[in-house]
Amino acid sequence: MGHEAAGEVVECGTNVTDLRPGDRVTFDSTVYCGRCFFCARGEVNLCDNREVLGVSPGPYRRHGAFAVVRLVPRRIMYRLPENLTYEQAALIEAVSVGVHAVISQPVVLGDPRRDRQRMIGLATLQAVATQAPRA
């Protein structure tokens, strides 16, 4: 558990030059290799060597952010603006997935195939996808 999180940098590796201890960050939950066929195409979610922080079973499993300290590669970290709270930052992934779903399958009024959207479940993602067309 713990794939949607935000926090402060505690320590940086020797090759990390653009972050400092105390910087506020969030991260993408997919740890990708950056070297395989899919990574070369920018399809890191399909990486042959991926691990997913806090959500996936079996070979993709990597412990999540339900910890005091979590080691995360720099390439999946994103600096947070000062006016964004940690709670808001932890929702970035869920909100972006919901907005992406609406953008990729827009409602077209009057088109019987696309004038209704069906939501299964009652979680954050569905709530965001329901609200996104109104924004």
Side-chain angles (χ1 to χ4, degrees):
M1 298 295 291
H3 66 283
E4 296 164 341
E8 290 183 11
V9 173
V10 175
E11 187 177 341
C12 296
T14 56
N15 293 327
V16 176
T17 59
D18 61 334
L19 289 176
R20 301 276 180 258
D23 284 351
R24 303 169 70 250
V25 294
T26 189
F27 58 84
D28 182 345
S29 60
T30 301
V31 181
Y32 56 91
C33 74
R35 297 178 306 277
C36 71
F37 171 79
F38 293 109
C39 286
R41 292 177 49 160
E43 298 173 332
V44 298
N45 60 309
L46 301 174
C47 173
D48 288 331
N49 306 300
R50 72 187 173 275
E51 294 178 324
V52 182
L53 289 157
V55 292
S56 292
Y60 303 123
R61 181 178 295 132
R62 186 165 184 176
H63 292 298
F66 281 170
V68 175
V69 177
R70 178 87 260 139
L71 180 64
V72 179
R74 171 62 186 100
R75 68 181 171 274
I76 66 167
M77 295 175 68
Y78 303 92
R79 185 174 312 200
L80 297 174
E82 288 300 320
N83 63 341
L84 195 68
T85 68
Y86 287 128
E87 293 82 7
Q88 291 167 329
L91 291 173
I92 288 173
E93 191 257 354
V95 170
S96 64
V97 169
V99 170
H100 179 265
V102 170
I103 290 170
S104 64
Q105 295 296 318
V107 174
V108 179
L109 296 177
D111 182 340
R113 295 167 295 153
R114 303 196 53 201
D115 67 353
R116 294 184 197 99
Q117 296 292 328
R118 290 177 176 82
M119 295 290 150
I120 298 172
L122 194 55
T124 303
L125 175 57
Q126 289 82 9
V128 169
T130 302
Q131 293 298 314
R134 298 177 184 165

